[in-house]
Amino acid sequence: MAAAGLPTAGGEIPVPDVVMEVARRGSGRVAATFAVVEDLIVEEDYVPRVVLKFLEELQNATSHGTEGFLTTEELLPLRGRRTVAAWETVDRFWSAVVVWCDDAGVELESSASLRVVEHSRLRSIMWPSCRSLADGRWVGVSEVLLYEKMTGASMTDFKHHPTV
């Protein structure tokens, strides 16, 4: 977190809080954070899972296209080579969840309600845990859990091991 210019006093900061700070327009932390992600992605043990969680929540938070926050399109050119592979893993997984929901008849609601959330703490809980879709709907953790339960698939099934 220090390498990305994020505050570290007081111990660990939850991933959604880091995501919301990085995604804030004008924070100036995206490039430094992606550089850290690029280095961490090749580490052993739990670090790649943390990286996938961070990228997943960043994609979700920026998918809402809300004023004051970066968009997913603005983040794309800032990713490093290894980060692109992990980013695509996350994106393929969430796309599969949406396809499954459509095929299974799971009704996805309008994403308009997500964009009007003004309370910052509530945003940091909601936005990283759900994704606005281009067609105006949103998909969230409950649909992900249902998808995983019904198909037996998880994000690790979509994992592409990036090359060093």
Side-chain angles (χ1 to χ4, degrees):
M1 290 189 299
L6 295 166
T8 57
E12 293 184 13
I13 300 173
V15 172
D17 292 349
V18 174
V19 163
M20 294 304 286
E21 180 57 32
V22 169
R24 191 175 324 291
R25 186 172 299 288
S27 75
R29 294 189 166 112
V30 176
T33 305
F34 276 167
V36 171
V37 166
E38 193 74 6
D39 290 339
L40 290 177
I41 211 158
V42 294
E43 295 289 326
E44 297 297 321
D45 302 322
Y46 73 95
V47 175
R49 289 189 305 264
V50 172
V51 167
L52 285 176
K53 178 180 175 69
F54 171 78
L55 292 175
E56 176 181 39
E57 292 185 5
L58 183 62
Q59 284 182 24
N60 290 349
T62 59
S63 74
H64 307 304
T66 309
E67 188 176 328
F69 289 86
L70 297 167
T71 65
T72 303
E73 291 73 26
E74 291 172 300
L75 297 176
L76 296 178
L78 303 174
R79 303 166 303 162
R81 180 174 50 88
R82 293 183 295 257
T83 303
V84 168
W87 183 280
E88 290 172 353
T89 295
V90 172
D91 200 43
R92 280 192 307 274
F93 174 76
W94 279 79
S95 294
V97 172
V98 172
V99 167
W100 179 84
C101 286
D102 289 344
D103 291 348
V106 175
E107 191 72 28
L108 301 178
E109 297 183 30
S110 168
S111 62
S113 61
L114 296 173
R115 287 188 286 281
V116 297
V117 175
E118 293 184 20
H119 190 275
S120 62
R121 189 69 198 133
L122 187 54
R123 274 195 305 229
S124 72
I125 294 168
M126 292 180 66
W127 288 0
S129 66
C130 56
R131 182 175 292 219
S132 288
L133 306 174
D135 64 8
R137 301 176 301 160
W138 69 274
V139 62
V141 171
S142 60
E143 289 83 16
V144 167
L145 293 174
L146 186 58
Y147 167 80
E148 288 178 338
K149 180 180 177 184
M150 299 305 290
T151 66
S154 68
M155 191 175 308
T156 57
D157 298 329
F158 291 78
K159 180 124 176 75
H160 168 74
H161 297 283
T163 56
V164 178

